Amino acid sequence: MTESSALDPEDRKIVTLARSARARNGVPEGAAVRDETGRTYVAGTVALESLKLSALQTAVAMAVASGAKSLEAAAVVTEAESASVEDRAAVRDLGGPDTPVLVAAPDGVVRQTVTAG
């Protein structure tokens, strides 16, 4: 586990944004991604009858829809122990296999950092 104070300030920011999205919207997960220009995109889980997206998939989709060409990093705040294969694939599609994905608990403590690989 990584104390959020030990993270790079930009990584700490996306974890905080993801945590805020989760709490504000009362959804199972919150996520944030940072694109190649430093812009951030924040999202929560989408659970409609006809559309289901994880928070990380939604954040990546928002980045793509806004014209992002790549990702520098991603963060997800979740009860799960790790980022799902589908979430990592979405990050990899835009950011490449080496893009870091920070997986944090609801309290904001980063449990692990994996690559989108």
Side-chain angles (χ1 to χ4, degrees):
M1 293 199 188
T2 305
E3 290 296 323
S4 60
S5 61
L7 292 174
D8 169 273
E10 291 300 313
D11 289 345
R12 186 169 50 246
K13 176 183 171 183
I14 62 172
V15 170
T16 299
L17 290 170
R19 186 174 182 221
S20 296
R22 181 181 183 271
R24 180 179 57 250
N25 297 323
V27 292
E29 295 181 339
V33 298
R34 184 175 61 248
D35 74 9
E36 76 283 359
T37 68
R39 290 181 296 183
T40 55
Y41 306 88
V42 182
T45 307
V46 174
L48 301 173
E49 189 172 320
S50 63
L51 179 65
K52 302 206 183 315
L53 295 172
S54 72
L56 200 46
Q57 290 168 336
T58 305
V60 170
M62 291 173 65
V64 170
S66 297
K69 303 294 183 217
S70 184
L71 294 179
E72 291 182 348
V76 61
V77 174
T78 179
E79 295 281 349
E81 291 298 316
S82 187
S84 72
V85 171
E86 296 83 6
D87 281 353
R88 290 176 42 228
V91 172
R92 183 177 58 246
D93 286 349
L94 185 58
D98 295 329
T99 306
V101 179
L102 293 87
V103 181
D107 64 2
V109 174
V110 176
R111 288 189 184 118
Q112 64 175 288
T113 301
V114 297
T115 61

